[in-house]
Amino acid sequence: MFGLFSTKGFKDYVKAARQVLKANWTGAYTRPSPGLYPHQWNWDSGFIAIGLAHYDQKRARQELTSLFDHQWPNGMLPHIVFNPNVLGHYFPEPDFWQAPEGRLTSGITMPPLHATACWHIYENARKGDTGKDFLNLMYPKLMALHRYLYRERDPDRSGLVYIRHPWESGLDNSPAWDEPLKQIRADKKTLPVYERKDLKHGVPADQRPGDGDYDRYVYLVDLFRRMGYREADIRKECPFMVRDVLFNSILCRANRDLLMIGDLLKQDTAEVREWVEATSSAISDRLWCAECKQFESFDAVNGRLIHSATAAGFLPLFAGAASRDQAQILFKTLDSIAFCALHQGNCFTVPNYDMTREDFDSRNYWRGPVWININWMVSKGLKRYGYTEKADAMNRDMIQLPIRFGFHEYFDSRTGKGYGSDGFSWTAALFLDLVYEYYSEDKHGRDWFKPHKRDRLKAMKVLNSLDDGSMAASDAPAADMMAAINHLKERFYDVHRGRVDYETIRHSPDYGEYQKIAAGLRRFNLASLSSDEEKTAFWINLYNALVIHGIVDLRIASSVKEVSNFFKKIGYGIGDFVFSPDAVEHGILRANSRPPYKVFAFFKRKDPRIEFSLQKLDPRIHFALVCGSRSCAPIRFYEAEKMSEQLNMAAKNFVNSSEVIVLPEKDKVFLSQIFDWYKRDFGGKEGIRRFLLRYLDKDEKWDFIDRNWSTIKVEYLFYDWDLNH
Ligand code: GLC
């Protein structure tokens, strides 16, 4: 593998996204959008701070501190903080809410994303600023919020807190609320008189909640204010009380982040630990409907689960609350026509509601469109459980939707068209987070220029030199090694942190076993590989096992860049020869080609290893080689009999992931740098076109490439060298 970082591909869009956040910045907080939402919203600020954290720590912190300045004395964090200078454009405002002591806030809360946002801010603090002061300031406020939730919203200590208004879920008119809202007989005659203002900002009524919904929203607010916001009284009367799967999942995730903050600040975190455990297991046990194969919210008034299929049901992945089996089932649903399958085409992942339901509506607010915040959380959740391909496909959609259709509030799940408010803050903020996370040079560049001296290898290290003779030569050592590697990955996968714990692998007896298998490789007879398929499978598996072995052996913490020339400096001995990853890739799999930016073929003419080179270069191998960084293929075991099918799948997955972004409206295509480095392997620009057309999903983007290739501007995406833990 060859590492070079260039590309400024997303510069213009990063600028545009920052501009959205700047235009919505009021001096103390960021409005969700200029017209429709002029005040400060609770979870919006959490998402916004996550985006800001990458380039303006000060504003990110202020976003949250201004919100928490309005925390109620009982710890509740209101869902809206009103700006007294812009009253009159929104309903309901403080005159309607009548919050205690004349507070300029609403009287309900929202999903508590804030500990997660604080941890993210801390993780992105620049050098010279540990970010600890900020955490010290926020910790007691976050604790007060979580204590409020467990004390007031979970009085019977079930581990699941209840919401008492659809607005508290953040998904106002979600189909999941249809049934519980039926409990409310909102009689116009007894309802307070009110006027909707949300329809006065140019958004068509069919993209917003209906009047019937609004009557019920108002009914509930009226109840709360009549009860003086005393939770014990509200609880007795309230016809809408739901243990919402989304709210509890975000709380569960926030507990985990709060725990990390508390531990870092050396606080006594016993209470937080209990919350983590209680909510995580309650979600997994009590919000899971086995027959429906999905997570659901629990209607606490009627005492039953609400069988509605919304994207909220995927949030236990973000929480790390789903078991492995549950995650597997969720993945299957996510990857089906219900939620826009991988390679389905003509849809965007993931719509907020099951697309096969009769009342699915690709335009109406929380009843079918794609929302970036939900997708962002689901994608993180999928990554946590190892479903990288689907997560990447989602990331690609989250990046392309705003670029193609604007920074809208939500997007049509079939056409991508943007709806609701334009210039919407969290769309811009999370777009920025994704771009900084996956494609930014700045972020990684900082560390790369500081080589980790301790691990610099002067000479090549042969990783299978320990040959204790106890291991008989196996017929298929590469296969055994891959099986062993997969076993190690499986065993040492840390569900909570969503990564492979390479450090623990190093100390495990399983690793000792693995080393023995690798040692057996020394006696393997390469001449026993006959067909091209057998050879290709062997060398791909060998390459992948070697790279992972190298990462573990050399104690690489976050990037293979920590060891200069990593791909040259490690190797496996087989027979009389040693093969580095570069030798396997360029010398053998690429049919002895020259590495990018080099003048000569990898093996010199007299190199005896040349006899093992494949005769024909198949560019699909680029998508099967795991290179120990996030942009590369997920690790998979290749079999000679299934070779072509597997390589097709690898190519298809890659081409339809966030490594290929087609923007017909901009006459532009962003391609992974792999297509730049190995242009010749694909047959030049025209070859790349053919390759893309072969593997891309057939939709309007396929047509666009087919027709306009000669005039399309191609830019290359930054290559992310962070470890794919
Ligand atoms: C709507 C959304 C909610 C969001 C708010 C401000 O009420 O349903 O999730 O926080 O607008 O953007």
Side-chain angles (χ1 to χ4, degrees):
M1 277 286 163
F2 182 80
L4 179 90
F5 43 101
S6 59
T7 195
K8 310 206 168 33
F10 289 114
K11 215 171 89 207
D12 292 348
Y13 307 109
V14 164
K15 232 198 221 156
R18 285 191 187 192
Q19 187 46 43
V20 167
L21 293 181
K22 196 167 162 200
N24 287 336
W25 174 249
T26 61
Y29 69 89
T30 312
R31 298 172 291 191
S33 75
L36 203 50
Y37 309 110
H39 306 288
Q40 181 170 30
W41 261 259
N42 175 313
W43 76 334
D44 294 62
S45 283
F47 293 119
I48 292 163
I50 284 171
L52 286 173
H54 292 282
Y55 67 98
D56 193 338
Q57 281 269 319
K58 192 161 162 242
R59 246 161 83 202
R61 294 172 195 197
Q62 201 179 340
E63 188 73 39
L64 294 177
T65 51
S66 13
L67 179 68
F68 276 84
D69 282 348
H70 299 271
Q71 187 169 26
W72 285 18
N74 65 356
M76 194 203 61
L77 192 65
H79 103 295
I80 304 176
V81 174
F82 292 100
N83 179 346
N85 303 321
V86 290
L87 292 176
H89 306 284
Y90 182 80
F91 171 82
E93 286 190 336
D95 56 334
F96 197 87
W97 285 100
Q98 298 167 14
E101 287 133 37
R103 279 189 203 99
L104 290 181
T105 70
S106 70
I108 57 174
T109 190
M110 258 192 161
L113 183 75
H114 316 88
T116 301
C118 285
W119 182 252
H120 180 87
I121 292 175
Y122 167 74
E123 281 198 310
N124 284 284
R126 300 267 149 176
K127 294 250 157 61
D129 165 14
T130 66
K132 264 201 188 172
D133 290 349
F134 173 67
L135 292 185
N136 268 317
L137 174 76
M138 294 303 295
Y139 187 70
K141 300 175 199 279
L142 295 167
M143 284 299 288
L145 169 61
H146 287 224
R147 280 189 183 131
Y148 159 81
L149 291 170
Y150 284 101
R151 189 184 63 241
E152 303 290 345
R153 301 303 189 92
D154 183 24
D156 47 0
R157 293 179 156 263
S158 69
L160 298 170
V161 305
Y162 67 77
I163 58 167
R164 51 170 155 82
H165 195 295
W167 288 339
E168 290 201 312
S169 73
L171 317 193
D172 308 3
N173 69 342
S174 160
W177 310 147
D178 293 355
E179 201 191 294
L181 282 178
K182 282 195 194 132
Q183 300 296 315
I184 302 178
R185 308 225 173 288
D187 183 353
K188 269 281 183 211
K189 280 186 239 118
T190 50
L191 266 191
V193 178
Y194 73 95
E195 186 196 359
R196 282 181 72 166
K197 299 233 166 105
D198 60 313
L199 298 176
K200 300 196 162 167
H201 299 276
V203 179
D206 66 348
Q207 294 170 24
R208 299 277 313 164
D211 285 344
D213 296 324
Y214 255 82
D215 283 351
R216 289 174 170 84
Y217 301 156
V218 164
Y219 174 96
L220 289 168
V221 174
D222 185 46
L223 174 83
F224 305 152
R225 63 186 193 178
R226 278 191 285 113
M227 302 274 154
Y229 292 99
R230 286 177 305 274
E231 199 61 37
D233 295 340
I234 293 175
R235 219 179 283 140
K236 280 186 221 136
E237 297 281 327
C238 191
F240 181 94
M241 292 208 301
V242 174
R243 302 197 193 271
D244 174 23
V245 63
L246 175 132
F247 194 107
N248 280 285
S249 294
I250 292 179
L251 173 62
C252 179
R253 171 59 195 262
N255 282 330
R256 294 190 195 285
D257 292 315
L258 188 56
L259 184 60
M260 294 210 269
I261 299 175
D263 285 344
L264 183 87
L265 301 178
K266 304 211 165 24
Q267 299 287 324
D268 177 1
T269 49
E271 190 181 5
V272 187
R273 255 171 239 283
E274 272 173 36
W275 294 335
V276 169
E277 187 36 49
T279 302
S280 169
S281 49
I283 292 174
S284 180
D285 297 344
R286 305 207 8 236
L287 297 185
W288 177 249
C289 171
E291 311 85 73
C292 331
K293 301 189 170 172
Q294 62 185 11
F295 282 102
E296 299 175 346
S297 295
F298 182 80
D299 180 343
V301 173
N302 291 313
R304 58 172 183 240
L305 287 169
I306 305 165
H307 302 314
S308 178
T310 73
F314 302 122
L315 269 287
L317 297 172
F318 179 64
S323 68
R324 288 229 147 237
D325 291 346
Q326 288 168 334
Q328 172 71 21
I329 295 171
L330 292 186
F331 169 71
K332 280 206 185 126
T333 315
L334 263 170
D335 197 23
S336 73
I337 54 166
F339 286 93
C340 186
L342 211 58
H343 313 314
Q344 184 179 328
N346 297 323
C347 58
F348 292 87
T349 50
V350 295
N352 212 57
Y353 187 42
D354 183 336
M355 297 181 90
T356 64
R357 299 276 161 131
E358 232 165 52
D359 55 343
F360 165 82
D361 181 344
S362 68
R363 298 153 55 90
N364 185 331
Y365 214 39
W366 293 103
R367 305 182 75 88
V370 171
W371 286 78
I372 300 297
N373 64 334
I374 301 295
N375 275 270
W376 183 86
M377 291 186 284
V378 174
S379 151
K380 293 236 172 251
L382 282 170
K383 263 235 146 104
R384 176 182 202 122
Y385 284 83
Y387 297 102
T388 30
E389 273 158 16
K390 180 73 184 170
D392 274 347
M394 291 177 66
N395 291 350
R396 180 206 51 193
D397 283 358
M398 280 186 272
I399 286 170
Q400 65 162 326
L401 282 169
I403 293 181
R404 295 177 59 192
F405 305 103
F407 291 96
H408 274 275
E409 192 177 356
Y410 41 101
F411 300 87
D412 192 301
S413 36
R414 291 198 205 281
T415 66
K417 191 169 181 300
Y419 296 136
S421 201
D422 194 0
F424 193 67
S425 294
W426 83 39
T427 302
L430 297 176
F431 171 85
L432 285 170
D433 179 66
L434 287 166
V435 172
Y436 277 103
E437 250 313 91
Y438 294 98
Y439 301 108
S440 152
E441 302 175 32
D442 303 356
K443 185 177 164 197
H444 306 278
R446 273 183 289 145
D447 295 325
W448 293 1
F449 290 114
K450 199 174 75 41
H452 297 229
K453 295 237 167 46
R454 73 179 164 87
D455 271 333
R456 278 212 156 182
L457 278 184
K458 289 213 177 58
M460 186 188 214
K461 184 163 183 186
V462 178
L463 299 178
N464 63 340
S465 52
L466 160 139
D467 188 352
D468 63 2
S470 62
M471 204 70 199
S474 144
D475 289 346
D480 291 348
M481 281 161 59
M482 277 301 299
I485 284 266
N486 276 333
H487 169 71
L488 285 173
K489 280 196 95 171
E490 184 68 23
R491 263 205 71 189
F492 297 101
Y493 185 85
D494 177 345
V495 184
H496 298 306
R497 288 160 68 229
R499 21 174 90 164
V500 178
D501 191 345
Y502 289 112
E503 194 49 32
T504 318
I505 290 186
R506 239 169 66 79
H507 298 292
S508 73
D510 291 330
Y511 184 55
E513 278 307 303
Y514 174 74
Q515 285 174 309
K516 280 190 194 159
I517 301 178
L521 187 64
R522 288 199 149 255
R523 275 171 277 135
F524 179 66
N525 177 11
L526 283 170
S528 68
L529 300 168
S530 52
S531 69
D532 278 356
E533 286 78 22
E534 252 180 86
K535 289 181 190 164
T536 311
F538 172 85
W539 288 109
I540 290 177
N541 290 335
L542 185 95
Y543 179 101
N544 291 341
L546 174 56
V547 168
I548 304 285
H549 196 165
I551 289 170
V552 177
D553 187 274
L554 300 177
R555 313 168 85 155
I556 286 173
S558 59
S559 165
V560 286
K561 289 265 149 194
E562 286 162 30
V563 173
S564 56
N565 288 322
F566 175 82
F567 297 100
K568 279 197 185 68
K569 289 284 185 57
I570 53 168
Y572 275 147
I574 309 178
D576 298 332
F577 309 113
V578 172
F579 295 90
S580 66
D582 269 358
V584 175
E585 181 179 10
H586 308 299
I588 293 178
L589 287 167
R590 292 186 59 233
N592 198 27
S593 302
R594 61 179 174 79
Y597 307 101
K598 289 273 159 50
V599 188
F600 300 111
F602 191 86
F603 293 141
K604 306 229 167 59
R605 248 187 316 136
K606 295 216 170 109
D607 191 318
R609 294 174 296 178
I610 219 163
E611 74 170 282
F612 306 115
S613 297
L614 293 183
Q615 295 309 306
K616 231 177 116 233
L617 191 159
D618 182 337
R620 294 174 302 176
I621 54 128
H622 291 299
F623 310 111
L625 299 182
V626 169
C627 62
S629 74
R630 267 203 303 227
S631 294
C632 310
I635 186 159
R636 195 165 274 139
F637 172 56
Y638 285 83
E639 292 167 76
E641 308 76 55
K642 298 191 190 146
M643 204 59 226
S644 194
E645 196 187 309
Q646 284 184 310
L647 285 179
N648 274 344
M649 203 29 126
K652 202 167 169 51
N653 285 336
F654 192 88
V655 160
N656 290 289
S657 78
S658 53
E659 303 295 336
V660 173
I661 298 180
V662 186
L663 306 170
E665 292 79 3
K666 313 277 171 195
D667 211 16
K668 203 184 247 184
V669 175
F670 287 115
L671 296 181
S672 156
Q673 243 167 24
I674 287 192
F675 289 103
D676 191 18
W677 296 337
Y678 301 109
K679 204 177 247 157
R680 286 161 52 113
D681 294 9
F682 293 92
K685 195 174 172 200
E686 192 41 39
I688 293 178
R689 171 178 173 269
R690 279 197 303 273
F691 192 88
L692 292 176
L693 291 178
R694 191 165 315 134
Y695 296 108
L696 261 181
D697 296 339
K698 280 227 166 106
D699 55 17
E700 102 263 26
K701 284 174 275 167
W702 191 95
D703 291 335
F704 167 72
I705 290 195
D706 188 32
R707 294 212 189 104
N708 308 299
W709 189 246
S710 57
T711 55
I712 292 175
K713 192 157 175 255
V714 178
E715 287 190 33
Y716 295 98
L717 291 169
F718 166 75
Y719 201 78
D720 185 344
W721 285 100
D722 264 8
L723 270 196
N724 59 346
H725 288 286

